[in-house]
Amino acid sequence: MNHDVWSAVSADINARRNLNLRELFAHDPDRARRFTTEAAGWTLDYSKNLITPDLMKSLVTLAKASDLKRWIDALFSGEAINATENRSVLHTALRNLSTNPVFVNGNDVMPDIREVLGKMAAFSELVRKGKWLGHTGKRIKSIVNIGIGGSDLGPAMAYQALKPYAKSSLKLYFVSNVDATHLAETLKKVKAGQTLFVVVSKTFTTQETMTNAENARAWLIGKLGREAVARHFVAVSTNAEAVEAFGIDPANMFGFWDWVGGRYSLTSAVGLSLMMAIGAKNFTKLLKGYYKMDRHFSTVPFDRNLPVIMALLGILYSNGYGAESYAVLPYDQYLARFPAYLQQLDMESNGKSVDRDGRRVTSATGPIVWGEPGTNGQHAFYQLIHQGTRLIPCDFIGFCKSHNPIGDHHDKLMANCFAQTEALAFGKTAAECRAEGVPEELVPHKTFEGNHPTNTLLADKLTPETFGALVALYEHKVFVQGIIWNIFSFDQWGVELGKVLASKVLAELSAKDTPPLKHDSSTNALITRYREARA
Ligand code: G6Q
């Protein structure tokens, strides 16, 4: 973070420590309009934040001092900004619906992107129309996506989000965990002759994915014989050699590129299972939503730019108020997995403690992300948000229209959404409690301090387009924060050490003879205890 500018911004924040949302709204009848902005079908109302127009201006200086505009251009133009892996970061090219070329090392990547999208669309249509038949001549009814992390969370979350657009005769399943239960329970639900396995792995070496894929293949061979593999397995990968070695015809491999990060890969071939479910047309609408938000992000001034505003508000609370987490609260059951998806997007990107020069950072970086769909969360953890001792900024996400307009469910759902932001902002004073006749000894317990900051994101309806724009909004928000914190958001070295140690431990768990254990006393004891129980 630029320390000189942050010192000034931080002084501005401290000078406004006593901001009170009741007073701010009372003194400015125009506040909601002033702090509402729109893009790509989304309205962001950020008026219930601890901000004034001056403070927002001050926060914007932080973005400018971080050279954000130049970084946005670098992102979109394919500069190798993933410096620790020496790679471009071009998820925006995947949904570039313009005719503009995008260059990586002098080569326009757009023709390849369009070719793969075309191949995905053709294959998806074959499967959807029942023209891609299984080994025994039956049409495909179940698709099992085998992948993990970025090769799972995106399509799994999006499939759930876009269920109303999915073909009902085609069921998608997602197997990610190396825990055999995940695979076993999924295989119980599908019939070998009507199942297509989509093995999604950028590297095609990931332990969990390869273990699941190998055992899924063994299951299929057990049911239908070895020749069946070709009709029942396809791959999404950058590693053609490993795909072929696994036994998948390279013609049935859908490629992507090293400049697509796992957690940013939903709109690459990683979205193949999703495309089979919702169809190529809806997938294009999804791309359109992403593209609209990309355009907004890369062209609109910072003070009206949704991802930039949300990023700055996050920095206000993380760095200005010491908030450790933020909650994402979708008032839509279809978005139930969205918080889990954002956990990876945000925490893997910005969970860093070393800056771009390799020095220890001196201010907090990525927050803890968590959340559950409303209204369930209201009956569980909202108590802490309302009356606990921690500051938890929240994003409320909702839609004006439901896909399931049954009775008054939707009005009730959204009434709760709006009411929660009102309650969090304005609370209830002791005087109000007393005026209601609350017994004196209960007044402290029934008082709500309020002043809890929230954003509200509202769109007309959850569609492929608004959904794509929503995901892009958070992608860019995370990017902006990474730039301001001066960290690298596109690597994930923090996941490596555990992987390496696990392979050592694996050998010790499965060794026939008692292995000499050279770990610490705790790890040694755990391994010994496990081996004894398994003996
Ligand atoms: C995401 C990460 C990580 C990755 C998985 C799966 O940004 O890179 O979650 O997606 O480890 O990797 P493979 O696709 O190579 O199996």
Side-chain angles (χ1 to χ4, degrees), residues 198-487:
V198 183
V199 185
V200 185
S201 177
K202 185 171 165 180
T203 53
F204 229 72
T205 55
T206 304
Q207 184 199 52
E208 293 89 339
T209 301
M210 296 327 294
T211 307
N212 279 319
E214 279 154 17
N215 288 310
R217 184 183 54 188
W219 173 84
L220 184 92
I221 292 174
K223 301 264 180 201
L224 304 177
R226 189 162 292 278
E227 323 73 63
V229 173
R231 300 300 297 174
H232 292 271
F233 274 82
V234 299
V236 174
S237 187
T238 57
N239 187 348
E241 237 173 65
V243 167
E244 199 170 0
F246 180 88
I248 295 175
D249 182 350
N252 297 330
M253 173 182 133
F254 299 80
F256 62 121
W257 308 273
D258 70 356
W259 41 260
V260 183
R263 55 194 173 276
Y264 297 87
S265 65
L266 174 59
T267 53
S268 71
V270 170
L272 178 63
S273 333
L274 176 70
M275 191 194 267
M276 286 192 261
I278 65 172
K281 276 195 189 139
N282 280 320
F283 199 85
T284 305
K285 288 182 188 159
L286 172 80
L287 298 182
K288 196 168 165 197
Y290 271 93
Y291 178 63
K292 279 189 178 171
M293 189 57 78
D294 291 347
R295 291 284 304 153
H296 169 82
F297 176 54
S298 56
T299 57
V300 169
F302 294 161
D303 59 356
R304 284 186 286 122
N305 193 309
L306 267 71
V308 176
I309 291 168
M310 286 180 65
L312 293 174
L313 291 169
I315 285 174
L316 167 67
Y317 301 120
S318 285
N319 302 108
Y321 282 81
E324 297 209 318
S325 76
Y326 75 95
V328 179
L329 309 165
Y331 277 67
D332 192 299
Q333 192 60 31
Y334 288 122
L335 290 181
R337 290 291 287 163
F338 191 55
Y341 171 82
L342 285 185
Q343 283 178 332
Q344 185 192 21
L345 179 70
D346 200 329
M347 294 164 78
E348 201 164 59
S349 297
N350 286 343
K352 310 285 164 66
S353 51
V354 167
D355 71 13
R356 289 199 291 263
D357 301 311
R359 290 182 303 234
R360 177 97 199 165
V361 295
T362 50
S363 50
T365 59
I368 300 156
V369 186
W370 58 287
E372 276 289 318
T375 57
N376 295 14
Q378 290 175 209
H379 295 262
F381 54 76
Y382 278 38
Q383 165 66 35
L384 185 146
I385 305 177
H386 281 284
Q387 288 189 318
T389 53
R390 294 165 198 280
L391 172 67
I392 302 178
C394 305
D395 292 348
F396 284 75
I397 302 173
F399 299 91
C400 301
K401 295 175 198 159
S402 169
H403 279 283
N404 299 295
I406 303 170
D408 62 355
H409 279 254
H410 198 65
D411 287 348
K412 284 177 176 158
L413 174 72
M414 292 310 290
N416 274 285
C417 174
F418 300 146
Q420 284 297 329
T421 69
E422 191 179 14
L424 285 165
F426 306 115
K428 190 171 178 182
T429 63
E432 285 167 341
C433 289
R434 287 189 188 103
E436 282 177 5
V438 171
E440 197 52 36
E441 69 276 15
L442 286 183
V443 167
H445 303 285
K446 294 201 160 193
T447 299
F448 289 71
E449 277 180 15
N451 231 25
H452 297 294
T454 61
N455 290 317
T456 303
L457 278 163
L458 192 63
D460 276 356
K461 196 166 180 177
L462 177 58
T463 62
E465 203 171 314
T466 53
F467 171 71
L470 180 69
V471 180
L473 165 60
Y474 278 92
E475 283 179 351
H476 297 320
K477 174 202 155 182
V478 167
F479 172 75
V480 173
Q481 292 187 329
I483 294 303
I484 294 177
W485 285 322
N486 191 32
I487 55 178

